Amino acid sequence: MNADARLSRLRRRLAEEGHDAALVCDVSNVRYVTGFEAVWDDDANVACLVTADLARIYTDSRYAEAAAAAAVATPWALSTPSASIYVTLCDDLGADGIGSLVLESSVPFGRFRFISERFSGRVAAVDDWVEELREVKEAAEVERIARAAALTDRAFDHVLGVLRPGLTETEVVLELEFFMRRHGSEGVAFPSIVACGPNSSRPHAVPGQRRIEAGDPVILDLGARVEGYCSDMTRTVVVGAPASSEFRAVYEAVLAANEAGKGAARGGVTGAEIDGVAREVLTGAGYGEHFGHGLGHGVGLDVHELPTVSPRGRRSVLSGSVITIEPGVYLEGRFGVRIEDLVAVHDGGCRALSASPTGLIEIV
Ligand code: ZN
Ligand code: ZN
């Protein structure tokens, strides 16, 4: 992890855009720019002020000891006021002679208004400054994502031995998540999706008490988190009876789209172009209207981050990014199929980080 280089790149952006200071509050962005490990939980009260020659963290007493230990031998100074960190921050902005400040556009409106009213300088909201820095991964980041993907593969393999008719979706979620956590996952990357039978036609189904019936398709969408980094993978299996011929036809089309998407993913191609290659396969098979979501997304400290791999992805996917390829076909009220792989993009193509088999698995 090269946190000093990250800070330099953020300062370069500040200079290019002509602002004095940036305030980073999004916790994943804070994790990235500070490089501090195991200090910030998901709703940490923290703000990082960065200027050309200043790097100062504002946080409260709950994080003070861990942050102070992590800050040793780094450029980061620490401020842990007993009152609101934003009151102290605004007082400091004046004392530090800062004339213009940028905030992330994700900052809550109330906080934006508070700072705008209390700070006499110029305040602007900007999109994705740190998110864009996070898009191209360092080798050590890819290595963590790969370990999270390997743990996800193991959890899927484990649950293949458990799946049978009669289990509820929630019971399968517990099997997956307990396995991942027991084998080193920090929580999970996102709430696992297990959707059986007709529930599988909802791409982001909420797992519940439905029991798997013989012949049900079951969608399993899961991800581990290792040293802060996420993985994301989906497989669709059939449990208790052989798949129907209609299911097989849909599965073959989705698998062909998954392979076409992976074949198209390389540095320098836009997200929309990669999406289009896979979408074309499903359209050609007659299922185009049943694929409503984008083909994929970036994965890193967050499970959904840049780049955008969908019809809206106008920018080039960069070599060094990590993305998902996840075509799906959803026949409302009947069944759905999604096959999602995680890949690391390079100039000439991509390398699969997910290693679970993609061929149809029937557990009978
Ligand atoms: Zn997923
Ligand atoms: Zn995904």
Side-chain angles (χ1 to χ4, degrees), residues 190 204 221-222 232-234 297 303-304 324 326 338 340:
F190 57 92
H204 270 207
D221 189 348
L222 58 148
D232 187 9
M233 181 184 81
T234 306
H297 52 85
V303 73
H304 292 121
T324 67
E326 51 180 304
R338 180 165 68 255
E340 175 180 29

Side-chain angles (χ1 to χ4, degrees), residues 6 27-29 31-33 134 137 141 144-145 225 227-230 299-305:
R6 298 170 182 180
V27 172
S28 294
N29 287 341
R31 286 178 177 137
Y32 187 79
V33 296
R134 288 164 46 190
K137 270 62 183 177
E141 294 181 285
R144 291 180 182 193
I145 297 168
R225 188 186 291 266
E227 293 187 70
Y229 285 80
C230 299
V299 174
L301 288 167
D302 289 327
V303 73
H304 292 121
E305 57 179 56

Side-chain angles (χ1 to χ4, degrees), residues 250 253-254 257 275-276 278-294 311 327-331:
V250 171
V254 174
D275 177 281
R279 197 168 296 277
E280 188 61 40
V281 171
L282 291 177
T283 301
Y287 300 118
E289 65 188 283
H290 300 290
F291 176 33
H293 57 74
V329 166
Y330 309 93
L331 304 180

Side-chain angles (χ1 to χ4, degrees), residues 29-344:
N29 287 341
V30 167
R31 286 178 177 137
Y32 187 79
V33 296
T34 62
F36 293 5
E37 309 273 358
V39 172
W40 317 111
D41 55 22
D42 284 343
D43 56 359
N45 181 34
V46 56
C48 297
L49 181 69
V50 175
T51 72
D53 49 17
L54 182 81
R56 188 187 294 138
I57 296 168
Y58 295 84
T59 191
D60 67 40
S61 62
R62 296 171 297 172
Y63 306 94
E65 182 180 347
V72 173
T74 74
W76 292 96
L78 199 58
S79 172
T80 53
S82 52
S84 158
I85 64 172
Y86 292 100
V87 171
T88 304
L89 167 80
C90 288
D91 292 345
D92 288 353
L93 291 174
D96 290 329
I98 291 166
S100 70
L101 175 71
V102 295
L103 301 176
E104 298 152 310
S105 56
S106 59
V107 78
F109 178 71
R111 189 182 306 157
F112 185 89
R113 189 175 55 189
F114 177 86
I115 294 172
S116 300
E117 288 173 1
R118 197 168 177 106
F119 169 53
S120 58
R122 189 159 58 94
V123 179
V126 296
D127 291 322
D128 296 335
W129 278 21
V130 179
E131 285 84 348
E132 286 176 16
L133 300 181
R134 288 164 46 190
E135 197 168 333
V136 172
K137 270 62 183 177
E138 299 158 11
E141 294 181 285
V142 177
E143 194 265 335
R144 291 180 182 193
I145 297 168
R147 279 160 53 211
L151 182 49
T152 305
D153 287 329
R154 287 175 62 201
F156 175 68
D157 187 60
H158 164 74
V159 93
L160 287 179
V162 172
L163 280 171
R164 62 178 188 279
L167 285 178
T168 67
E169 293 166 339
T170 302
E171 285 168 335
V172 179
V173 166
L174 287 171
E175 279 291 336
L176 288 169
E177 297 191 350
F178 187 79
F179 184 94
M180 288 192 285
R181 296 200 65 175
R182 186 174 180 103
H183 292 87
S185 183
E186 299 144 7
V188 286
F190 57 92
S192 309
I193 296 171
V194 172
C196 66
N199 292 348
S200 62
S201 72
R202 302 173 181 187
H204 270 207
V206 177
Q209 297 308 312
R210 188 183 186 281
R211 293 185 188 279
I212 297 173
E213 294 174 11
D216 269 357
V218 182
I219 286 185
L220 306 121
D221 189 348
L222 58 148
R225 188 186 291 266
V226 171
E227 293 187 70
Y229 285 80
C230 299
S231 65
D232 187 9
M233 181 184 81
T234 306
R235 291 293 183 263
T236 308
V237 302
V238 176
V239 178
S244 68
S245 57
E246 185 188 19
F247 180 89
R248 281 174 185 281
V250 171
Y251 195 95
E252 288 306 317
V254 174
L255 181 54
N258 168 288
E259 287 169 353
K262 287 189 286 191
R266 64 178 181 279
V269 178
T270 68
E273 286 171 318
I274 300 169
D275 177 281
V277 168
R279 197 168 296 277
E280 188 61 40
V281 171
L282 291 177
T283 301
Y287 300 118
E289 65 188 283
H290 300 290
F291 176 33
H293 57 74
L295 182 66
H297 52 85
V299 174
L301 288 167
D302 289 327
V303 73
H304 292 121
E305 57 179 56
L306 295 176
T308 302
V309 186
S310 82
R312 294 179 291 106
R314 290 193 297 272
R315 284 198 299 122
S316 287
V317 171
L318 301 171
S319 177
S321 59
V322 173
I323 62 171
T324 67
I325 301 291
E326 51 180 304
V329 166
Y330 309 93
L331 304 180
E332 189 179 332
R334 300 181 59 215
F335 66 86
V337 174
R338 180 165 68 255
I339 305 172
E340 175 180 29
D341 283 318
L342 193 58
V343 303

